[in-house]
Amino acid sequence: GGGGRSVPGDCQGAQYPTHPLAPDAEKTPDYWNKGARRRLESALASHPVARRAKNIILFVGDGMGLPTMSAARIYKGQLAGGSGEESVLAMETFPHVALAKTYTIDRQVPDSAGTGTAYLCGVKANAKTLGLSGAAVYGKCRTTFGNEVDSILHRARLAGKSVGIVTTTRVQHASPGAAYAHSASRSWYTDADMPKEALRDGCKDIAYQLVHNTDINVILGGGRMYMTPKRTADPEYPEDPAQNGTRKDGLNLIAEWLSAKQGARYVWDKKGLDAVEDDSVSHLMGLFEPKDMRYELNRNASTDPSIVEMTEKAIRILRRNPSGFFLFVEDEIDHGHHSGRAKQALMEAVMLDRAVARAGELTSPSDTLTVVTADHSHVFTFGGNTLRGTSIFGLAPKKAKDKRAYTSILYGNGPGYSIRDGRRPAASLPAAGRSLSPHPCDAQGSLMPPAPFLLLPPAEDKDYRQQAAVPLETETHSGEDVVVLAQGPMAHLFHGVQEQHYIAHAMAYAACLEPYAAEPGCGAARRASHGTQCSPQPLVALLALCVAAYMVGG
């Protein structure tokens, strides 16, 4: 709703806002002063939750740099029919914020394997290696042995907590892989992907390690083909040999996993997931695609679950453990950016935020530490002096120096680079069709009234590739810091500018996991998670407390 505003003489390059520039209330100082006072009062009333966490949920937006978060906030608001800029992501309501430095030992601009090892295992590492210290060399199997580092997920399981992985990529991918694997190469998904030398030296592929390294209670994502022998038909695409199993060793890792776990279930579609009773299984594996799961904008909602649905199912199963749980949730925003398709990437970020919101409804900040962060950022940006309410995927209000229109969103490099007839092609508004802009232009550049049968402009299409400055087959990561947001017990430990590996240490400390299991307050935290806590008070007080607890409990 709401009318746009034209810029005289600049119609052909413009993408006009679908909402007024600003509500009238915003034009008064009182609006801003009252809002600031409310936030100030809230800040003054907030106090750190200094007790230990029973549960930890770590959300990772793969590739969700600060520009992506800001754009996703606007997109969320516009999806809800608003102007967008004043929208608030669920993760942005968390009271504690830090920045994390993402470089790896060997790279200024990192990858997801080295960063995953940092925020999950607590040590910085080399790019492309998983669950190994910096002494390991990429691609060299023999450097694996003796250089393994355990993740916080592994340590949580050893401490008696239930643990889970949810991802929209394959469950053997770099980010989830750092939670359980020790691999000199992030690309060793299956034994078929490994060099003969590595197999001969005793290294195992990541899919094998998924099943054998850590007793993981819930595994939800993609990656079916890495779990079954070559030529095993895929249950969803039995007629497509490209989706068949890929293992050379003849192992059916799904069958192995099921036989080793009492009360285990395996599902491969949404129907199967929905049929799982939360209290009937101790272990659940759901693999919903042969490789990565589909983008949300491409997802078949009847066959594939969303990240929100997977997160909810995982929490409902894991939270039955009286000792608590650790859950890792990842959304692959990254792949949309790599392909130069900003709309796909931003929709993934919006979905991650919806999963954060749902998790908040299913847990309590009194006993659950929730952390949201990214592994790295991307060379993604939005600018161009766009007006308030302009579609986040729209055009800048004025043309570039080459007299051609351009989108607000641009990439520093990637597949969106294009030169036609020696010139940069103009980012286009609709020729004919329904526009998100209320005032498209006619061929002469005059403002036209809204037309009900106009096509969406290419820039609004889910697979539109925004322009890039440098031609690359895939867009790259970027090296700036990423945000860390936290709420719940010990969330105040996330503050300032930190090295990325600090995240794992703060989470381990919060939940009394190694190497912090013997810290002050941890014995009491363990007793509290198992039942009534009888604190070490003087004898009379101790007896009174325990008798009272017995009376209430009885």
Side-chain angles (χ1 to χ4, degrees):
R5 206 164 76 171
S6 65
V7 181
D10 198 42
C11 182
Q12 287 184 333
Q15 176 83 0
Y16 296 97
T18 57
H19 299 273
L21 287 183
D24 285 342
E26 291 187 10
K27 297 173 183 176
T28 66
D30 198 45
Y31 172 87
W32 301 105
N33 291 334
K34 283 184 175 178
R37 178 175 286 276
R38 285 195 303 272
R39 287 169 175 79
L40 186 59
E41 290 169 350
S42 175
L44 290 167
S46 68
H47 300 284
V49 182
R51 61 181 166 272
R52 300 311 175 101
K54 177 182 177 182
N55 313 309
I56 297 179
I57 307 177
L58 173 62
F59 287 94
V60 172
D62 195 310
M64 187 179 68
L66 274 169
T68 299
M69 276 186 65
S70 300
R73 174 200 308 141
I74 294 172
Y75 187 30
K76 173 189 175 180
Q78 293 181 345
L79 286 170
S83 170
E85 299 84 0
E86 69 292 335
S87 179
V88 179
L89 296 169
M91 65 181 80
E92 292 175 329
T93 65
F94 288 12
H96 298 281
V97 183
L99 292 176
K101 297 156 70 173
T102 63
Y103 69 91
T104 56
I105 286 177
D106 59 338
R107 290 196 182 183
Q108 189 176 78
V109 177
D111 83 318
S112 294
T115 53
T117 301
Y119 63 73
L120 282 167
C121 302
V123 302
K124 290 233 174 188
N126 291 316
K128 299 187 179 181
T129 65
L130 286 174
L132 300 173
S133 73
V137 179
Y138 168 66
K140 300 295 183 183
C141 166
R142 290 185 183 180
T143 66
T144 301
F145 309 113
N147 293 318
E148 299 92 341
V149 287
D150 288 334
S151 76
I152 186 170
L153 177 141
H154 184 78
R155 287 176 262 157
R157 191 69 186 110
L158 291 180
K161 296 184 185 294
S162 293
V163 297
I165 289 171
V166 169
T167 181
T168 58
T169 181
R170 62 201 87 173
V171 295
Q172 306 86 354
H173 208 255
S175 302
Y180 59 83
H182 310 289
S183 180
S185 173
R186 58 176 287 177
S187 302
W188 292 349
Y189 298 120
T190 180
D191 62 331
D193 298 321
M194 297 176 66
K196 290 179 181 177
E197 181 186 14
L199 292 168
R200 191 168 58 245
D201 288 343
C203 282
K204 297 294 186 181
D205 61 89
I206 297 168
Y208 182 92
Q209 295 187 57
L210 170 67
V211 169
H212 292 93
N213 282 12
T214 306
D215 177 27
I216 305 174
N217 299 87
V218 177
I219 302 167
L220 300 175
R224 284 193 298 255
M225 65 163 45
Y226 308 115
M227 307 294 282
T228 55
K230 286 180 71 173
R231 291 184 287 279
T232 303
D234 185 82
E236 190 173 2
Y237 312 106
E239 305 302 318
D240 184 359
Q243 311 303 330
N244 286 355
T246 59
R247 300 197 66 82
K248 288 182 175 180
D249 57 13
L251 295 179
N252 185 324
L253 295 176
I254 297 169
E256 279 194 21
W257 186 82
L258 284 170
S259 64
K261 317 286 183 189
Q262 194 170 4
R265 287 280 299 277
Y266 168 70
V267 299
W268 57 267
D269 63 1
K270 184 178 184 298
K271 182 180 177 183
L273 183 69
D274 291 344
V276 173
E277 298 287 340
D278 303 335
D279 58 357
S280 68
V281 297
S282 61
H283 292 74
L284 173 64
M285 180 186 289
L287 303 178
F288 304 105
E289 286 292 335
K291 288 186 178 178
D292 298 326
M293 295 183 69
R294 299 180 187 274
Y295 292 125
E296 175 63 22
L297 292 174
N298 299 349
R299 180 174 66 90
N300 183 332
S302 64
T303 60
D304 291 345
S306 71
I307 188 172
V308 180
E309 292 163 336
M310 291 192 291
T311 300
E312 173 162 356
K313 181 64 72 172
I315 292 172
R316 289 188 180 279
I317 292 172
L318 297 175
R319 70 181 181 184
R320 289 166 36 220
N321 187 335
S323 296
F325 66 83
F326 174 87
L327 175 61
F328 172 84
V329 182
E330 178 205 27
D331 198 302
E332 197 65 20
I333 298 156
D334 179 78
H335 287 180
H337 281 324
H338 278 313
S339 66
R341 296 181 172 99
K343 193 165 197 173
Q344 297 283 13
L346 295 188
M347 189 66 225
E348 294 304 313
V350 169
M351 289 302 293
L352 178 75
D353 192 63
R354 291 177 183 172
V356 171
R358 187 65 186 125
E361 294 166 355
L362 295 165
T363 59
S364 167
S366 66
D367 66 1
T368 302
L369 171 64
T370 304
V371 180
V372 184
T373 190
D375 48 356
H376 54 73
S377 186
H378 277 263
V379 292
F380 160 92
T381 187
F382 66 102
N385 299 316
T386 45
L387 300 180
R388 179 80 176 269
T390 300
S391 166
I392 189 63
F393 306 108
L395 304 186
K398 293 186 178 181
K399 292 180 182 177
K401 196 173 180 180
D402 60 6
K403 305 281 195 289
R404 297 193 165 199
Y406 64 99
T407 54
S408 170
I409 292 176
L410 297 168
Y411 286 97
N413 59 46
Y417 176 90
S418 181
I419 296 292
R420 296 176 193 165
D421 301 323
R423 300 180 67 191
R424 177 184 69 87
S428 56
L429 286 171
R434 193 174 73 82
S435 172
L436 295 185
S437 166
H439 297 299
C441 308
D442 64 15
Q444 285 71 46
S446 303
L447 288 175
M448 297 164 53
F453 302 108
L454 296 178
L455 292 172
L456 285 175
E460 294 282 352
D461 187 83
K462 65 184 175 71
D463 289 318
Y464 176 77
R465 280 180 158 152
Q466 283 76 14
Q467 291 178 354
V470 175
L472 290 178
E473 189 174 332
T474 62
E475 177 264 6
T476 71
H477 301 163
S478 61
E480 75 267 20
D481 299 351
V482 295
V483 73
V484 189
L485 303 129
Q487 76 169 5
M490 295 291 172
H492 59 284
L493 298 179
F494 295 95
H495 72 288
V497 180
Q498 305 287 353
E499 295 285 0
Q500 192 169 40
H501 73 288
Y502 172 80
I503 295 171
H505 287 264
M507 290 190 297
Y509 184 89
C512 291
L513 301 176
E514 293 295 345
Y516 305 105
E519 293 290 325
C522 284
R526 275 193 295 275
R527 287 192 296 274
S529 70
H530 283 88
T532 303
Q533 178 183 342
C534 296
S535 303
Q537 303 287 338
L539 184 59
V540 174
L542 179 63
L543 285 170
L545 280 170
C546 291
V547 168
Y550 177 81
M551 298 282 288
V552 172

